[in-house]
């Protein structure tokens, strides 16, 4: 059965440039993106500047060799110790104020390093700068979704942030550092032997001023960072800390409870642990592994280049994969694939094979990291998002740090030996068992994460993967059920009843209607444009339908909701084709373009006698309705897997009962949470219990009903020649 495809709309199928432009068109995010650029460039410049300054202040050769390591460790140590505190601040206080204070403090500590000029204060001051950074990042990450217009823009926003942090900012920092260091040799601003020391201090001062500029911009130009719950969920699981005035202890307990009770987040953290552990194993064993390939010193540089190219590629292709594979599935699969690729790296006998396998590790690791950040930004409530971001970031640092240190110790336990593989000598040392262990750990935890996060276990994963590889639309978490019929009165009443019935289940339900039925909006568009022809009205209806699909239906499907759509495509198409005389192929192409080929998982066709429903209608109107009914019956006969025909003659309650029976029969045993567990009426409760006890008889009965209805339709709908004769 064709699945719903929220990624198939015009917006989701747009090019990367188009998606980026739409996100950058949002002024608050664009300004925050610029601030991210300043702070990221300052972060990299700070690393270079303090390393250079420490080597100038230290006279001992051994101490100078440890200068870089000392700067890196003192910057990472706050993340190991205080990262959760940054999440608590982000959820407890105004995020904009937290970011401004952190930026001002970072500027002050760096200026103090330049003024004090003592070697010990370089590392102490850098530690405090790292503390401020670890408080700044969760507030920024948690605030980003509130600046966007729709939750589905989070992925593109994360892409832009990573490009800025690990791309443009790195180039800017390296270029600025080289430029400032070369100024004195050109203009001789600081003569004497202490010139290099003064230049190094100048770089530190410039770095501090960049943080100061960031704080001023946040305080004066981005007040939207203080917003909360812009895309609020219907039933939040976490209370707002700033409103309830929680203490930090209560917030910690609340966050732990949320992780334990939310399989999506629990699986995300489990999978992230495996991925980061494998990444640390790669970092810790990279240099000795490159030596074991017997390819010279260039092997290490090539392997580093391959993994970073893979990371960039993975982050670039992740949104395209996410259009065909749900994020909660893509995350676990990416970690499993990265683990398997790492095993291939460990078993590789040649540099060429290693480069391909290492690039594959980078691709899947980049996909997993971007997908994880996107899930936090789009699927985690605003009240808890800061804490989850902090846990994710702190786990990244802690696990990477620990596994990077442990890898060399484990490597030393295995004595290296040289073996011949296909006539080529290969050194087998401790790097290969360590990589195999990291890969196996990533695979196991990736499987656990997948099982925790995937809420579509009844749907086969192989079908999703096959669709992703062949670039066909994917099935997603949500399900789309359309009710079609000849009259809006029929479909409106039954769609409303069906949505209320489904609303008593465990899945959220969204009721939508054909945009052409939205009288005010559609009539305004048509009248203001002075449109009278059927073709022009069809174009306007398609435009409004495209807006509805992108704005309401797709976000609901992506969030796992069941969408009940009144008169989605088939009824308007049949109406325009039969009554207005427009070409059906042209109309179908227009509908495909407007909806991005989005089609319902199930279409319920209400087969009613037009004359019985509207006894006062004119003969011409009845003839038109018979034509529409005939076309709808042909559509149902041409695609029986997606349609179920229900007899719509009788009272509304009787028809609603038949619709519920048909829906339950189609989805029984295949869609957890669709069928209500506690129906409102006692009769419905009894029917639900009976359906749970004997699913097969119900399905057989419903199938028999459908066959009888199909026969009735064939008898009732006159041939086209008979309609013309009438």
């Amino acid at each position: 059965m064709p699945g719903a495809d929220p990624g198939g709309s015009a917006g989701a199928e747009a090019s990367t440039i188009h998606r980026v432009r739409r996100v950058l068109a949002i002024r608050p995010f664009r300004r925050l993106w610029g601030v991210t650029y300043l702070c990221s460039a300052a972060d990299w410049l700070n690393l270079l500047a303090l390393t250079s300054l420490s080597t100038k202040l230290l006279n001992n050769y051994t101490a100078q060799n440890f200068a870089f390591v000392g700067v890196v460790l003192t910057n990472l140590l706050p993340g190991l110790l205080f990262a959760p505190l940054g999440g608590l601040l982000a959820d407890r206080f105004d995020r904009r104020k937290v970011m401004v204070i952190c930026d001002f403090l970072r500027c002050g500590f760096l200026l103090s390093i330049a003024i004090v000029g003592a070697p010990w204060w370089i590392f102490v001051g850098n530690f405090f700068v790292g503390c401020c950074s670890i408080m700044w990042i969760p507030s920024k990450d948690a605030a980003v979704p509130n600046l966007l217009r729709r939750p589905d823009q989070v992925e593109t926003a994360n892409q832009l942030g990573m490009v800025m942090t690990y791309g443009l900012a790195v180039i800017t920092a390296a270029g600025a550092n080289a430029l400032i260091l070369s100024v004195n040799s050109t203009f001789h601003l600081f003569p004497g032997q202490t010139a290099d020391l003064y230049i190094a201090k100048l770089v530190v001062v410039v770095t501090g001023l960049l943080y100061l500029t960031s704080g001023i911009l946040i305080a004066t130009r981005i007040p939207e960072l203080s917003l909360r719950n812009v895309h609020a969920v219907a039933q939040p699981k976490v209370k707002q800390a700033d409103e309830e005035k929680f203490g930090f202890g209560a917030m910690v307990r609340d966050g732990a409870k949320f992780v334990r009770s939310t399989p999506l987040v629990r699986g995300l953290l489990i999978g992230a642990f495996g991925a980061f552990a494998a990444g640390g194993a790669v970092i810790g064993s990279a240099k000795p592994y490159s030596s074991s390939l017997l390819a010279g010193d260039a092997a290490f540089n090539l392997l580093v280049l391959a993994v970073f190219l893979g990371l960039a590629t993975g982050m670039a292709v992740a949104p395209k994969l996410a259009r065909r594979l749900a994020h909660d599935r893509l995350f676990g699969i990416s970690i499993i694939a990265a683990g398997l690729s790492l095993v291939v790296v460990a078993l590789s006998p040649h540099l060429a094979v290693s480069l391909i396998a290492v690039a594959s590790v980078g691709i899947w690791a980049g996909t997993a990291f971007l997908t994880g950040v996107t899930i936090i930004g789009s699927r985690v409530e605003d009240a808890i998002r800061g804490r989850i971001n902090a846990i994710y970031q702190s786990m990244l640092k802690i696990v990477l740090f620990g596994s990077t240190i442990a890898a060399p110790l484990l490597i030393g336990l295995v004595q290296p030996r040289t073996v011949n593989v296909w006539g080529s000598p290969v050194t087998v040392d401790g790097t290969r068992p360590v990589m195999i262990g990291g890969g196996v750990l990533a695979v196991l935890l990736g499987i656990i994460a997948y099982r925790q996060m995937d809420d579509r276990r009844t749907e086969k994963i192989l079908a999703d993967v096959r669709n992703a590889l062949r670039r066909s639309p994917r099935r997603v978490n949500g399900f789309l059920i359309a009710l079609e019929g000849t009259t809006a009165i029929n479909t409106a009443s039954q769609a409303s009843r069906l949505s209320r019935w489904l609303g008593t289940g465990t899945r959220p339900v969204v009721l939508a209607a054909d945009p052409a039925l939205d009288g005010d909006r559609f009539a305004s568009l048509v009248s203001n444009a002075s449109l009278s022809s059927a073709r022009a009205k069809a174009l306007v209806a398609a435009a409004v339908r495209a807006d509805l699909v992108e704005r309401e239906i797709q976000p609901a499907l992506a969030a796992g909701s069941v969408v009940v759509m009144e008169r989605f495509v088939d009824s308007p198409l049949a109406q325009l084709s039969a009554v207005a005389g427009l070409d059906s192929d042209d109309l179908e192409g227009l509908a495909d373009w407007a909806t991005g080929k989005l089609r319902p998982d199930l279409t319920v066709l209400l087969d009613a006698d037009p004359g019985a429903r509207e006894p006062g209608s004119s003969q011409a109107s009845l003839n038109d309705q018979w034509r529409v009914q005939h076309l709808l019956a042909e559509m149902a006969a041409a695609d029986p897997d997606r349609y179920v025909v229900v007899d719509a003659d009788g009272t509304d309650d009787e028809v609603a009962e038949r619709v519920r029976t048909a829906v339950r029969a189609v989805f029984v045993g295949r869609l957890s949470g669709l069928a209500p567990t506690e129906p409102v009426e006692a009769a419905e409760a009894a029917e639900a219990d009976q359906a749970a006890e004997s699913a097969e008889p119900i399905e057989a009965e419903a199938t028999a009903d459908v066959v009888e209805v199909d026969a009735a339709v064939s008898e009732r709908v006159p041939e086209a020649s008979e309609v013309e004769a009438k």
Side-chain angles (χ1 to χ4, degrees):
M1 179 167 51
D5 173 26
S9 73
E13 291 296 338
S15 65
T16 301
I17 295 178
H18 179 65
R19 290 187 291 108
V20 167
R21 284 177 176 173
R22 296 182 66 177
V23 173
L24 291 180
I26 304 172
R27 180 179 297 176
F29 175 79
R30 187 170 65 248
R31 290 175 175 173
L32 180 62
W33 194 51
V35 166
T36 303
Y37 170 67
L38 283 179
C39 289
S40 298
D43 290 339
W44 292 107
L45 189 59
N46 179 53
L47 178 65
L48 300 173
L50 293 185
T51 301
S52 176
L53 180 61
S54 60
T55 57
K56 303 297 186 300
L57 293 175
L58 294 171
N59 297 322
N60 185 278
Y61 177 75
T62 303
Q64 289 179 347
N65 291 334
F66 281 94
F68 176 74
V69 176
V71 171
V72 172
L73 290 181
T74 53
N75 193 266
L76 286 179
L77 190 59
L80 306 181
L81 300 177
F82 305 121
L85 181 59
L88 295 176
L89 292 176
D91 291 335
R92 178 66 174 79
F93 299 106
D94 188 320
R95 290 164 182 162
R96 181 168 64 104
K97 294 179 180 178
V98 172
M99 294 171 67
V100 170
I101 293 173
C102 289
D103 277 335
F104 288 168
L105 288 176
R106 287 195 283 190
C107 174
F109 285 124
L110 285 175
L111 293 180
S112 71
I113 290 174
I115 294 172
V116 174
W120 64 272
W121 183 247
I122 292 178
F123 302 108
V124 174
N126 189 44
F127 173 81
F128 288 126
V129 171
C131 290
C132 296
S133 297
I134 210 63
M135 307 301 169
W136 190 90
I137 293 173
S139 292
K140 188 267 293 183
D141 290 341
V144 167
N146 292 325
L147 304 182
L148 305 175
R149 297 192 180 103
R150 302 189 312 272
D152 61 340
Q153 293 177 320
V154 170
E155 192 166 43
T156 303
N158 288 333
Q159 272 187 302
L160 289 170
M162 290 181 181
V163 167
M164 189 63 78
T165 301
Y166 300 104
L168 297 178
V170 178
I171 298 173
T172 301
N177 186 56
L179 180 63
I180 296 175
L181 292 178
S182 64
V183 165
N184 193 62
S185 61
T186 303
F187 299 101
H188 304 288
L189 300 177
F190 303 102
Q193 296 180 351
T194 60
D196 291 340
L197 177 62
Y198 289 134
I199 291 295
K201 288 185 177 182
L202 177 62
V203 178
V204 175
V205 172
V206 170
T207 305
L209 294 179
L210 288 178
Y211 287 127
L212 178 63
T213 304
S214 169
I216 294 174
L217 290 175
I218 292 173
T220 60
R221 305 295 291 173
I222 322 178
E224 294 84 358
L225 288 171
S226 300
L227 296 176
R228 297 254 183 184
N229 289 311
V230 173
H231 307 291
V233 297
Q235 296 179 343
K237 296 181 180 180
V238 183
K239 294 181 180 180
Q240 286 294 326
D242 55 345
E243 294 177 1
E244 299 295 333
K245 300 301 179 185
F246 279 4
F248 284 119
M251 292 180 66
V252 171
R253 291 191 297 271
D254 203 34
K257 180 181 178 182
F258 181 82
V259 173
R260 289 196 305 269
S261 61
T262 310
L264 179 72
V265 176
R266 190 167 62 244
L268 175 69
L269 297 180
I270 291 173
F273 183 92
F276 298 153
V282 173
I283 295 173
S285 57
K287 183 60 178 177
Y289 172 79
S290 64
S291 300
S292 71
L293 295 173
L294 303 178
D297 294 336
F300 177 73
N301 296 324
L302 290 175
L303 290 172
V304 172
L305 178 62
V307 73
F308 275 97
L309 288 177
L311 284 170
T313 303
M315 293 180 186
V317 302
K320 296 181 180 179
L321 291 175
R323 296 189 205 132
R324 305 177 182 91
L325 200 63
H327 282 113
D328 46 10
R329 285 191 159 182
L330 179 60
F331 181 76
I333 291 174
S334 298
I335 294 175
I336 295 171
L340 294 175
S341 300
L342 184 56
V343 173
V344 175
V345 173
L347 299 177
S348 169
H350 195 272
L351 178 61
V353 178
S354 298
L355 290 175
I356 296 174
V358 165
S360 178
V361 172
I363 290 172
W364 291 113
T367 301
F369 184 77
L370 180 61
T371 303
V373 175
T374 301
I375 290 174
I376 293 175
S378 60
R379 306 274 297 273
V380 175
E381 301 170 21
D382 184 69
I384 196 76
R385 190 182 299 140
R387 278 164 281 178
I388 301 302
N389 264 316
I391 293 173
Y392 193 73
Q393 296 290 340
S394 62
M395 181 180 292
L396 167 64
K397 292 180 173 62
I398 293 172
V399 177
L400 276 178
F401 186 82
S403 56
T404 301
I405 293 177
L409 300 177
L410 296 174
I411 292 172
L413 299 177
V414 179
Q415 294 296 325
R417 63 184 65 183
T418 302
V419 297
N420 289 323
V421 179
W422 298 330
S424 300
V426 177
T427 299
V428 178
D429 55 11
T431 59
R432 297 178 185 269
V434 167
M435 286 188 174
I436 290 177
V440 171
L441 178 64
V443 170
L444 293 178
L445 294 185
I447 293 174
I448 295 174
Y450 172 81
R451 294 182 63 84
Q452 289 283 325
M453 300 173 69
D454 182 29
D455 59 358
R456 300 175 60 242
R457 296 183 184 178
T458 56
E459 302 297 327
K460 295 181 179 179
I461 181 60
L462 292 180
D464 273 355
V465 174
R466 185 169 56 250
N467 288 341
L469 294 176
R470 68 187 182 189
R471 302 177 61 84
S472 61
R474 67 172 173 87
R475 294 179 60 96
V476 295
N477 295 336
F479 284 80
L480 178 60
I481 302 175
L483 276 84
E484 306 286 359
T486 56
T487 62
I489 297 177
N490 264 359
T491 54
S493 173
Q494 295 306 322
S496 178
R497 288 169 178 263
L498 179 61
S499 65
R500 287 199 303 270
W501 177 70
L502 293 172
T504 59
T506 59
R507 281 177 176 259
V509 178
V510 175
L511 176 63
D514 174 18
L517 302 176
D518 187 350
D520 295 337
R521 182 162 53 149
F522 186 69
S524 175
L525 289 171
V526 173
S527 60
N528 291 341
S530 301
L531 302 178
S532 58
S533 68
R535 187 180 299 274
K537 292 181 179 179
L539 291 173
V540 173
V544 181
R545 181 175 290 107
D547 179 68
L548 178 71
V549 168
E550 183 175 351
R551 180 168 45 86
E552 296 182 13
I553 297 178
Q554 287 191 13
L557 292 173
S561 302
V562 177
V563 179
V564 179
M565 180 70 189
E566 175 196 351
R567 297 165 63 86
F568 181 53
V569 169
D570 296 344
S571 296
L573 190 150
Q575 187 81 18
L576 290 169
S577 179
V579 178
L582 300 180
D583 183 80
S584 59
D585 292 337
D586 292 342
L587 291 173
E588 187 170 356
L590 180 62
D592 287 344
W593 180 82
T595 64
K597 297 184 179 180
L598 173 65
R599 287 296 180 267
D601 294 276
L602 175 66
T603 299
V604 179
L605 176 57
L606 301 177
D607 176 44
D609 183 351
R613 274 286 180 182
E614 301 181 10
S617 300
S618 64
Q619 186 63 38
S621 177
L622 288 177
N623 289 343
D624 290 340
Q625 292 186 30
W626 277 117
R627 292 190 185 96
V628 173
Q629 190 81 349
H630 181 71
L631 288 176
L632 290 173
E634 288 182 345
M635 293 179 185
D639 193 1
D641 291 336
R642 187 166 63 87
Y643 281 84
V644 58
V645 184
V646 174
D647 184 3
D649 288 334
T651 65
D652 288 341
D653 291 336
E654 292 172 347
V655 176
E657 182 73 18
R658 296 172 196 148
V659 171
R660 289 196 294 266
T661 301
V663 171
R664 186 187 295 111
V666 171
F667 286 109
V668 65
R670 296 170 49 200
L671 180 55
S672 173
L674 177 64
T677 55
E678 296 181 359
V680 177
E681 301 176 2
E684 293 178 356
E687 182 183 78
D689 293 338
Q690 183 180 359
E693 295 173 358
S694 55
E696 293 183 359
I698 291 178
E699 186 171 1
E701 180 182 352
T703 304
D705 290 342
V706 173
V707 173
E708 293 177 5
V709 172
D710 284 338
V713 171
S714 300
E715 294 177 358
R716 180 182 302 157
V717 178
E719 298 294 334
S721 59
E722 297 179 11
V723 173
E724 294 298 333
K726 290 182 181 180

